Amino acid sequence: MHPFQCHSPQHELSRRQVLGTFAGLGAGSLLSPLVANEIKSKQKQVLLIWLDGGMSQLESWDPKPGTEFGGPFRSIPTTLPGIHVSELMPHTAQQMQHIAVVRSMCTKDENHSSGVPRILRGDPKNRGVTYPYMGAAMSHLKGKSDNELPNYIWVKPGSGGFIWQHGGFLGAKYGALALGDGKPPVHINRPPGIDDQRDQVRNEIRKRLNKSFQKGRRSAEVEAYDYSFQMAEKLIRRKDLFADFTPKELERYGSHPLGRHILQSKRLIEEGVLFVQCHSYHWDTHADNFNMHLDLVPQIDKPFAALIEDWHQSGLLDNVLVLLMSEFGRTPKINQRLGRDHWPEAWSLAMAGCGLNRGLVLGKTTPNGAWVDDQEYDIGHIFHTVFKAMDIDPSTTEYHNNGQPLPIAHDDYGPIKELLA
Amino acid sequence: MKHLMERQLDVTKAWPEKKFQWERQVTAIQFSPCGKFLVAAGIDAQLQRWELATDERVAIKGHAGWVGDLAFHSDQQRLYSVDYHGGLFCWDYTEAQPKQLWSKADAHQSWVRKVAVSPDGKHVATGGNDRVVKLWSATGQSTLELKGHEGYIFSLLFHPDSKSLFCGDQMGKVKQWDVSSGKLIRELDLTVLHTRLDNFLAEVGGVRSLAYDSKRDLLACGGMTNAKSNAFCPGDPLVVLMEVETGKEKMQLKSTIKADGPVNGLQFLPDGTLAGIGEGASGASLSFWSTEKPTPIHAIKMLSGYEVALHPDGWQLAVSRFETNGRSGNGRHSTPETYVSNDGLIEVYQLYEKPAPEPAK
């Protein structure tokens, strides 16, 4: 038995359902496109869009124009009566009927280095282990999906690679396959001089060397390297995933890095990847916050709104959970360089899809936007909610780490009931 | 009286005489041409007017959004101000309670960052995020639109002869426009003040301040260079002296006191000395350059600064700077009851040696 195997009834049921489906249909590879699409369409998935550094809640979801800390931007009405967002989000304002916004996040960490992993791990109680990131947790809890693609892909600026650390105590193989700049792993294209036969021979040699290297070692890292190679191999067969975007797509989502990365993430989800994390850096606006948000927010507003609208129209939003967040918000107080600093006390995030109730704004901040006034939520609530939306019940599902049972989300919290249908 | 006749402008002896404090950071200040008032704008929808003789403060209300800038008319009656909701306002500032004379709520489509009035009083210029510079009559009639800037308009300055206007933008370009014909006279390359590295998500820097010395035909352009990121926006404060006629760079002026933000305010003094103030995360300076060498002849360390303004008497320089109000920085450091905005502090420096106290009689 795999040391990290999940014993949840949901997982077992899911596996049985999938196996039953395969038994009835024959081999997975022989599925008719129609049936394959049907299965694909029913698979629940997650797209986490992460604005690293912290988007200002006052310049986005929770504007307070004309107040002490409100900033220079106006608020605009949305498709939800009485609900306003920043004028920097005109496209998203038109999709608010499909979105749920939580305006009363209150978390504990004000630093990036500890805050990012803390939030992405759901900030569980300290159990003496390193918890997996949300994507790794989902990959483990949902099990391998019925396609040839990795479960957990991270689309990010900069370099790529296999980020085994995301797996936490689940093991390195649950790490993220990172696509640097949204591009496929390097060497995805086999050199033209190597035909199928030679490639097969090369792989046989690689496998034999791996086996030899593994003798007496059996470390999770060695497994992970092999696993990451397998994933890369699978992607090599799927060059179509990385084809150029059409001018129409770029016009709709933006040709800037975040627009392209959301497009790439969309394509991966539509092809069946279980969990995609789409990352954007440089939202940490300690200086010139207002000029920076003037340029930054439109780069998420347009592609986010396009994504929500497109997936609503195609029906995919019924099965895909989109989560837009950062590690915290930004200080109401404006600093000496006209910037805003880190503020975990009261910030906002947005969620949509996967059966969550739509068109909601939950929680409230004080009139000056500085503090939570009503319905305070921790990241633990969000993890519970995401798991529930993904048909994983944190109250009955737990990890087993070398015999140690561990909750999958902070056990002092529960799901946000208003969000669950 | 004797010391007044003997005093000489000497920035190395500058000393702060007065302070005015406001509950918001102050990003724009000007002395009225009559010399009686100091008016400030900042991260708020109000202007504040102080009467220098009495220190009495009066709020000027009417704007809906942050007031980006203000400028006085030479008639010693009118004050113009612009806001981040696109508005241009004209006030009679001389009344006990300043009175709004007229306003254009939609003067621009977006933020109006800057306003300037020509020395002859015929033109009012405005510019902001729609990248258009608009010219108005003093009574608010739209007269010309100057188009061609590729970035937000960050700075405006009329030539002393009132025939042309210098406009500095986000992308590091200064355009000089003929205000009668609307024709572009010349474009100066200040792209050293703009940074956009491959991994940036936004433009950083721009020509944040302008000052002109007509005796030497020198345009001083302030900002910062070598920005390292679009998050903390750290860079090297820089003033570039340009020879306007030739369009050539004369010299780059740097700060000797460590700072990491743009030079936001510039002012030539009557003796040709250039005063400038900039932002800094952990400190900045009010610097004075002779313009003959790249380093200041004198610098006063202070917290982050936003603007300088010269009194019409030529002896007094007002400086607006950041004043912390409780601890800033990441996370909670106070209770909801004590969590308030930082302040703006305006210090008025006398630009000569502080007179010795009168001996006791």
Side-chain angles (χ1 to χ4, degrees), chain B residues 37-354:
Chain B
F37 300 105
L38 175 71
V39 179
I43 58 173
D44 193 79
Q46 299 179 13
L47 296 115
Q48 304 294 324
R49 186 196 71 182
W50 284 273
E51 187 170 357
L52 296 173
T54 63
D55 292 354
E56 184 192 7
R57 186 177 94 175
V58 173
I60 304 175
K61 298 178 184 176
H63 283 282
W66 282 10
V67 182
D69 198 16
L70 62 117
F72 286 95
H73 194 280
S74 53
D75 67 359
Q76 303 197 2
Q77 196 80 29
R78 284 175 286 183
L79 166 70
Y80 300 87
S81 56
V82 289
D83 68 40
Y84 284 12
H85 287 195
L88 165 63
F89 284 61
C90 181
W91 313 86
D92 178 349
Y93 70 89
T94 59
E95 302 274 339
Q97 179 59 55
K99 189 170 66 182
Q100 184 182 317
L101 299 175
W102 51 263
S103 68
K104 305 274 177 193
D106 298 312
H108 285 256
Q109 288 177 5
S110 185
W111 294 7
V112 196
R113 293 173 184 265
K114 288 289 167 185
V115 60
V117 182
S118 61
D120 66 6
K122 290 181 181 170
H123 306 284
V124 176
T126 55
N129 286 3
D130 58 9
R131 299 170 173 83
V132 178
V133 178
K134 292 189 178 181
L135 289 172
W136 314 79
S137 70
T139 53
Q141 310 307 308
S142 176
T143 55
L144 268 178
E145 291 194 358
L146 310 174
K147 295 180 180 174
H149 285 274
E150 293 175 359
Y152 308 140
I153 309 298
F154 278 166
S155 45
L156 292 175
L157 180 72
F158 275 97
H159 192 281
D161 66 9
S162 296
K163 291 178 181 171
S164 67
L165 174 72
F166 296 106
C167 307
D169 70 28
Q170 180 190 28
M171 307 306 286
K173 294 288 170 64
V174 173
K175 294 178 191 283
Q176 186 182 10
W177 301 91
D178 182 311
V179 296
S180 298
S181 65
K183 286 184 180 164
L184 181 66
I185 299 171
R186 59 173 56 85
E187 180 177 283
L188 303 176
D189 182 3
L190 276 302
T191 47
V192 66
L193 299 176
H194 165 260
T195 312
R196 177 74 190 244
L197 300 183
D198 285 346
N199 64 346
F200 283 18
L201 299 182
E203 314 296 336
V204 180
V207 183
R208 300 294 178 105
S209 49
L210 292 169
Y212 182 68
D213 178 357
S214 55
K215 287 178 192 157
R216 292 171 291 175
D217 193 29
L218 284 178
L219 185 70
C221 307
M224 70 175 185
T225 192
N226 295 326
K228 311 294 187 302
S229 83
N230 74 260
F232 283 76
C233 299
D236 303 320
L238 185 67
V239 178
V240 184
L241 278 181
M242 301 293 291
E243 295 170 344
V244 174
E245 188 61 36
T246 63
K248 288 182 181 168
E249 179 183 310
K250 182 188 179 203
M251 193 181 294
Q252 294 192 358
L253 309 178
K254 296 177 182 176
S255 173
T256 46
I257 291 178
K258 193 179 173 189
D260 63 1
V263 175
N264 289 323
L266 285 172
Q267 178 72 56
F268 276 106
L269 306 180
D271 67 352
T273 302
L274 179 67
I277 192 165
E279 281 177 35
S282 55
S285 64
L286 168 64
S287 298
F288 298 96
W289 292 275
S290 71
T291 71
E292 296 303 320
K293 62 173 191 170
T295 52
I297 53 173
H298 187 54
I300 301 168
K301 184 171 170 56
M302 54 179 57
L303 293 175
S304 195
Y306 307 112
E307 183 62 290
V308 287
L310 186 67
H311 190 278
D313 68 11
W315 296 104
Q316 304 178 72
L317 185 73
V319 174
S320 77
R321 68 168 176 84
F322 175 81
E323 178 78 349
T324 186
N325 195 351
R327 190 171 162 186
S328 288
N330 299 335
R332 177 202 297 247
H333 298 292
S334 54
T335 63
E337 292 73 32
T338 58
Y339 190 79
V340 292
S341 69
N342 290 309
D343 284 355
L345 184 69
I346 303 164
E347 290 181 297
V348 181
Y349 280 79
Q350 303 297 323
L351 302 174
Y352 53 87
E353 185 174 7
K354 189 173 185 177

Side-chain angles (χ1 to χ4, degrees), chain A residues 291 299 333-334 336 342 345, chain B residues 113 201 281 306 325 331-332:
Chain A
N291 281 322
Q299 293 178 52
K333 205 163 175 169
I334 297 163
Q336 64 270 38
H342 308 167
E345 307 294 340
Chain B
R113 293 173 184 265
L201 299 182
Y306 307 112
N325 195 351
R332 177 202 297 247

